[in-house]
Structures are given as C-alpha cells and as structure tokens.
Amino acid sequence: MADFASWEREFPLRYVLVRDVGDEQDWEAVELLARCVDVEGLYVPREHPDRTVLVLEGCPADSPLAVMAAGPGGRQLGDLMLEVLGRNDDWPPHVFALFDISTVAMRPTAGAPGLVDLVLGTRLRDDWEYGRPRPPAQPYFEVRSTDQRITAPLTHCGSIGGLYDRYPLPQPVQLIGCEPSPALLDGLAPSGGGNDGWGQLVGLDRFGGVLRTENFPLLITEARPSVLGGALLDLTFADGSPDRPTPDCRRVRDLWFEGPPSEPGGWVGFDTSGRDEWLGLCRPTSLSAAPHGSDEHHLDGRHATDVPGLHLALGEAFLGPGLSLGFDLHWLHEHLDGGARRTLVWHDAETARRSLAWRVVRTDPLRSYFDAVLEILAERGVKVVLD
C-alpha cells in the first residue's frame, strides 16, 4: 500500500479504497479506486444481544455433537464452527463461528425416529466476507470442530431456526474527503456503472502502514462535493456487511494511527472487541526472534480478564508493547521457542484463573483456557511462578 499512500493535502490520509485485479500469476495485484480522509457509518455498536438461541433441527442422535450434548458435562460445548452449504454445490460455504455454546435442551425430532433437535445458546459471529448473509435455496448445515485435525463434521442437519433472522437491514457507509481515481470516476459517469462487486477499504497509519482491511461493497448510491472542500468528493456506498467493527475498534485504530505503542497497557481500558482489535494490530513474533534479554519475564495479570487481554499481557511480558505471540492457543504454542529455558512470574494470576474459568477448551468442560495456557507454557519450557 505504500505506493498508494502519497498525499499532499492538509488532512491526514486514513483510508484507501482498492479492488483486486490480479490473476493466477499476480493474485495480490490491486487497483487504487480512491484515497480518503475518513469514513462514517463503518463503525457501529452491536445491534443484537451478544448471545442468541439456535435450534438445529433433525440431527442424527448418534452424531458426536448430540452424544456430547446428552452426556456428562454436555451443558458446555465450547467453541465450534457452523458451515452453510448448498445441496447443488453452487453455494460457497458460509461460515459462522459459534462461541461459548451451552446446551439448552435436546428433544426428539417430531416424526423422525433417530433424529434430535439441539437447542443451543451461543455467541454467533458471521465470518462470511461477501455481504449480508442469505441462505441458499436448499441449505445443508454442518457443525465442525475448531480443531483442524478433526475433519469429519460433528453433526449435520437440514434446518436451523434463529440463524438468519437476526441481521439488520443494510446501512450505507460514507467515505469523506475522497480523491477518486479515473477508474472510480468512470463508474460515476452516467454511461459508466462499472463499479460493482467488492473491494477492500484499507485503514492506514500516519506512515502509510496498513492497520486493517475491510471487505467493502463498491455500489455507489450518492456522490457530492465534499464537506472538506477542494476537488474532493463525499461518496455514499451501499453496505451489505452485517459484521462491522465497533466504535471501540475505531478508538483503537486512532491510537495506532500514530504508530505502534511504545508503552505497555494501552489496551486495558477497552472492552473485549477493542482488545481483539488491539491484538489484531500487534505484530505476531516468535519468541526466538525477539532481542536477547533476561530469561525472567514478568506478566502484569491485573487486566487479563478475557482471552484477548490474556494474550496481550503474555505478548507484552515476553516481547514488549505492540508485539504478540498470536491470538489463540495454537499460535501461542507455535510462537513460543521451546529451545530455551525461561521463567515467567505471573503477577495477579488469580484474576485470569477466575475470569476464564467458564471458558472451556475443545469441548472439555474440565479444562479452562487458563489451564491450557499453563500447559502450553510448561510444554515449551517456560517455568511459571504464579504470584
């Protein structure tokens, strides 16, 4: 993006709008559509309750998920993935992430021996990248483990109540202070109309570095002279994405606009979505690649009250601010160098133990996220002193 970040105006450049033009030989090639000062309507509060209820109708009673739900400890099922497929293979898989699943009830499916309905409470996140979700004409649903080593679905069904009725209508997004490229201007012309499909809205820092990239609809519904004056335009785009960043994400990006943090703990005042954003902006770094220093590290555990907070505290303890050992257990294991012996003094460890006691790992109700982190640290040669 460095080639697109040149800007000689009085306002800072915060976003560029691009679209893919690559082929098999150069699939990363992108075309610049516009540079712009700011965006409105992209960052919105969560409009739906964090949790919802899904009814998986007609699951095989002997499927692994149904057996787990019926067995001891089956109330808490951890995190899973839900794939929506088309029976005619003309539908790209639509993936939902399901978090902190609890079994509300399991009942026999009416008129279908050997099948059950699973009523689940869950946090639901839409991971699809191509707009507001709509089910295929003949949907088919598979629930899968987040452990990629488990390739077979945990259950399947042909109907899920409560999945597609929770999304708001599309809302427009405005790009403020746009300097459009000729390619974008061609689409604005009455005889044009070439701007459709999807592009990427890339958030930049002051130095032209990429902060975040959002998939972005290219359907322009209004163009007018910018409120910032000059030859700039304000453009309104139709929005098809229900999974937008929150206002906390915007505040995080505003802090990172000046560059990576130089002091630890800048993330502690944010909620979980803001901490997720902060963690996503940190540069993943293997411990073996970090500058050599003391073999004793100190973790400030006062604010490790959720999963992203725990990973941020770990990254700062081992590497320093703005760096991370990844965002989940898999990446923590991969980024920890097991070849050197280190000591981690974990201050206020009881905060994470209590806060994450409810967060189970891979459907094991007896193994908390906190315990799993301790196991990985021990496996990778880190001696942990809980303070």
Side-chain angles (χ1 to χ4, degrees), residues 176-262:
I176 308 298
C178 287
E179 179 186 83
S181 71
L184 188 64
L185 289 175
D186 287 345
L188 292 175
S191 59
N195 292 320
D196 55 13
W198 287 80
Q200 296 85 43
L201 183 66
V202 183
L204 305 175
D205 65 20
R206 184 178 294 280
F207 310 101
V210 174
L211 292 177
R212 280 295 199 186
T213 299
E214 313 284 349
N215 288 293
F216 200 77
L218 295 179
L219 177 60
I220 299 174
T221 59
E222 183 182 7
R224 59 188 180 279
S226 177
V227 295
L228 301 182
L232 300 176
L233 298 176
D234 292 344
L235 303 176
T236 301
F237 289 77
D239 176 48
S241 175
D243 190 22
R244 302 196 220 175
T246 66
D248 250 4
C249 294
R250 182 172 198 158
R251 289 188 283 271
V252 169
R253 296 179 194 183
D254 283 346
L255 290 174
W256 278 72
F257 182 73
E258 302 298 335
S262 57

Side-chain angles (χ1 to χ4, degrees), residues 77-88:
L77 298 174
D79 301 341
L80 298 171
M81 295 186 302
L82 172 64
E83 290 189 356
V84 184
L85 308 165
R87 294 184 184 273
N88 297 325

Side-chain angles (χ1 to χ4, degrees), residues 235-314:
L235 303 176
T236 301
F237 289 77
D239 176 48
S241 175
D243 190 22
R244 302 196 220 175
T246 66
D248 250 4
C249 294
R250 182 172 198 158
R251 289 188 283 271
V252 169
R253 296 179 194 183
D254 283 346
L255 290 174
W256 278 72
F257 182 73
E258 302 298 335
S262 57
E263 298 293 331
W267 49 271
V268 300
F270 291 99
D271 64 11
T272 298
S273 68
R275 293 179 175 191
D276 264 327
E277 181 71 19
W278 192 288
L279 185 58
L281 296 179
C282 290
R283 179 162 60 88
T285 305
S286 294
L287 190 53
S288 58
H292 180 72
S294 171
D295 290 335
E296 181 174 290
H297 306 268
H298 291 261
L299 189 153
D300 182 353
R302 293 174 297 169
H303 306 287
T305 55
D306 50 21
V307 169
L310 175 54
H311 285 285
L312 286 166
L314 283 167

Side-chain angles (χ1 to χ4, degrees), residues 21-367:
V21 292
D23 53 24
E24 293 181 358
Q25 284 71 41
D26 188 14
W27 60 271
E28 292 185 323
V30 294
E31 175 185 36
L32 176 67
L33 295 179
R35 300 178 178 93
C36 62
V37 174
D38 214 337
V39 58
E40 281 300 330
L42 179 67
Y43 302 92
V44 295
R46 301 296 186 209
E47 297 196 22
H48 294 276
D50 195 30
R51 295 188 66 84
T52 190
V53 175
L54 302 179
V55 182
L56 281 62
E57 302 167 352
C59 301
D62 59 354
S63 63
L65 186 63
V67 172
M68 284 190 291
R75 279 275 295 166
Q76 304 301 321
L77 298 174
D79 301 341
L80 298 171
M81 295 186 302
L82 172 64
E83 290 189 356
V84 184
L85 308 165
R87 294 184 184 273
N88 297 325
D89 296 327
D90 58 353
W91 182 259
H94 178 177
V95 180
F96 289 92
L98 309 180
F99 296 104
D100 314 320
I101 305 168
S102 63
T103 304
V104 177
M106 185 168 66
R107 65 197 181 202
T109 301
L115 301 182
V116 295
D117 297 342
L118 295 175
V119 183
L120 306 177
T122 183
R123 284 197 296 127
L124 180 66
R125 189 182 73 201
D126 173 25
D127 280 358
W128 205 31
E129 297 180 347
Y130 303 103
R132 188 185 183 204
R134 296 177 178 85
Q138 294 182 302
Y140 180 75
F141 303 91
E142 292 183 347
V143 179
R144 295 184 173 273
S145 172
T146 56
D147 185 346
Q148 295 183 354
R149 295 172 297 182
I150 303 175
T151 57
L154 300 180
T155 196
H156 59 85
C157 62
S159 177
I160 297 184
L163 183 60
Y164 284 97
D165 57 2
R166 65 187 301 274
Y167 288 94
L169 293 174
Q171 297 178 354
V173 176
Q174 298 180 61
L175 301 189
I176 308 298
C178 287
E179 179 186 83
S181 71
L184 188 64
L185 289 175
D186 287 345
L188 292 175
S191 59
N195 292 320
D196 55 13
W198 287 80
Q200 296 85 43
L201 183 66
V202 183
L204 305 175
D205 65 20
R206 184 178 294 280
F207 310 101
V210 174
L211 292 177
R212 280 295 199 186
T213 299
E214 313 284 349
N215 288 293
F216 200 77
L218 295 179
L219 177 60
I220 299 174
T221 59
E222 183 182 7
R224 59 188 180 279
S226 177
V227 295
L228 301 182
L232 300 176
L233 298 176
D234 292 344
L235 303 176
T236 301
F237 289 77
D239 176 48
S241 175
D243 190 22
R244 302 196 220 175
T246 66
D248 250 4
C249 294
R250 182 172 198 158
R251 289 188 283 271
V252 169
R253 296 179 194 183
D254 283 346
L255 290 174
W256 278 72
F257 182 73
E258 302 298 335
S262 57
E263 298 293 331
W267 49 271
V268 300
F270 291 99
D271 64 11
T272 298
S273 68
R275 293 179 175 191
D276 264 327
E277 181 71 19
W278 192 288
L279 185 58
L281 296 179
C282 290
R283 179 162 60 88
T285 305
S286 294
L287 190 53
S288 58
H292 180 72
S294 171
D295 290 335
E296 181 174 290
H297 306 268
H298 291 261
L299 189 153
D300 182 353
R302 293 174 297 169
H303 306 287
T305 55
D306 50 21
V307 169
L310 175 54
H311 285 285
L312 286 166
L314 283 167
E316 290 184 344
F318 283 110
L319 302 168
L323 303 174
S324 80
L325 292 165
F327 53 86
D328 60 18
L329 297 176
H330 169 76
W331 287 108
L332 176 63
H333 184 275
E334 292 298 312
H335 284 93
L336 277 173
D337 175 20
R341 298 293 171 180
R342 295 178 172 84
T343 298
L344 177 67
V345 181
W346 192 325
H347 303 283
D348 294 289
E350 192 61 25
T351 297
R353 187 192 298 276
R354 290 195 310 268
S355 299
L356 298 176
W358 58 271
R359 181 68 183 262
V360 298
V361 178
R362 291 178 182 169
T363 71
D364 184 349
L366 301 179
R367 185 171 178 245

